[in-house]
Amino acid sequence: MDAGAQYNPRTVEEVFRDLKGRRAGMIKALTTDVEEFYQQCDPEKENLCLYGFPNEQWEVNLPAEEVPPELPEPALGINFARDGMQEKDWLSLVAVHSDAWLLAVAFYFGSRFGFDKTDRQVPPPPSLLPTLRGSESVKYLKGQPKDEEEGLDEEEEEEHGDTLCGACGENYAADEFWICCDICEKWFHGKCVKITPARAEHIKQYKCPSCSNKRARP
């Protein structure tokens, strides 16, 4: 828990990076590290909490002893309900409470700053629950209007600036919708493969036209 308490973001961009790092850590606990997470949540132990850290790590631990705590506390006693529910339902419950905690931490940091009103806006991350249920297996990037989310646009441009559309060969632009093929992992303009943001929300596994047309080998 010390790793999370010592970190003190001082700008909007740092708060958002903190939020993304903590969320990534909690996703690990609920997906790739779920067996270890399940074992650590022993109902015979005291009130346990799931913490996510800015370095994308997670930890199951007792709540902070100081009152009030330095950071908002996540849901207490997540271990008590483990054996009284279906595992999937229990993990979903933990995910919902983790969403609430992530936003509480972000607003806690944000409330300490004297930003202008427009600078206080830290966009909430996608919920952990769809990730847990597998509906985020499709990767896509939804463009923002040029006059909104400028900080996020610049970050996306840096991360995906060298990405080329697998259909038209043009570079990534933050104001356009893109979708990634889950088979060949190539990125495509939504307009090039006739996929809209609304339609992408309901696709569990996206196959580009090329991968869809490949015949299975005998």
Side-chain angles (χ1 to χ4, degrees):
M1 269 188 304
D2 290 342
Q6 291 173 359
Y7 186 71
N8 189 24
R10 297 182 178 277
T11 67
V12 173
E13 291 75 19
E14 288 179 356
V15 171
F16 187 66
R17 282 196 293 270
D18 176 272
L19 185 66
K20 291 205 306 182
R22 293 179 189 275
R23 177 178 180 271
M26 295 180 123
I27 287 178
K28 283 183 183 178
L30 298 173
T31 55
T32 56
D33 297 345
V34 68
E35 290 186 10
E36 181 182 354
F37 171 66
Y38 188 88
Q39 292 300 323
Q40 290 191 27
C41 292
D42 185 350
E44 299 299 321
K45 295 182 179 179
E46 298 182 46
N47 281 314
L48 293 177
C49 306
L50 171 61
Y51 293 90
F53 295 132
N55 62 358
E56 302 187 5
Q57 299 301 309
W58 61 274
E59 179 183 56
V60 172
N61 208 334
L62 295 171
E65 294 182 0
E66 65 268 18
V67 178
E70 185 168 351
L71 289 179
E73 284 294 316
L76 299 175
I78 59 172
N79 51 316
F80 294 149
R82 192 196 73 176
D83 293 346
M85 306 172 64
Q86 293 289 331
E87 181 177 347
K88 182 178 179 181
D89 293 336
W90 175 69
L91 291 172
S92 297
L93 181 63
V94 174
V96 169
H97 282 289
S98 297
D99 279 332
W101 179 70
L102 288 170
L103 292 176
V105 172
F107 279 103
Y108 167 78
F109 284 132
S111 66
R112 300 167 63 185
F113 304 137
F115 300 141
D116 292 334
K117 183 177 180 181
T118 55
D119 290 335
R120 289 198 201 113
Q121 300 174 6
V122 179
S127 169
L128 299 180
L129 192 56
T131 306
L132 189 62
R133 292 176 175 171
S135 62
E136 274 194 354
S137 59
V138 174
K139 295 176 286 186
Y140 59 88
L141 298 171
K142 186 182 295 185
Q144 301 286 346
K146 285 293 186 181
D147 58 346
E148 297 180 6
E149 311 291 358
E150 291 184 1
L152 294 178
D153 286 350
E154 292 175 1
E155 185 175 325
E156 285 187 359
E157 287 281 11
E158 292 177 2
E159 182 178 354
H160 301 282
D162 296 331
T163 303
L164 300 179
C165 174
C168 69
E170 294 294 324
N171 286 86
Y172 169 77
D175 60 341
E176 296 178 308
F177 172 76
W178 284 61
I179 188 166
C180 181
C181 175
D182 287 307
I183 306 302
C184 65
E185 297 189 346
K186 291 181 179 179
W187 287 90
F188 298 86
H189 288 108
K191 61 184 179 183
C192 291
V193 291
K194 298 181 179 179
I195 299 291
T196 63
R199 184 179 174 189
E201 295 280 358
H202 301 284
I203 300 176
K204 290 189 175 181
Q205 184 183 55
Y206 174 67
K207 293 183 181 180
C208 69
S210 178
C211 290
S212 296
N213 293 330
K214 287 182 180 177
R215 296 180 179 178
R217 294 183 179 179

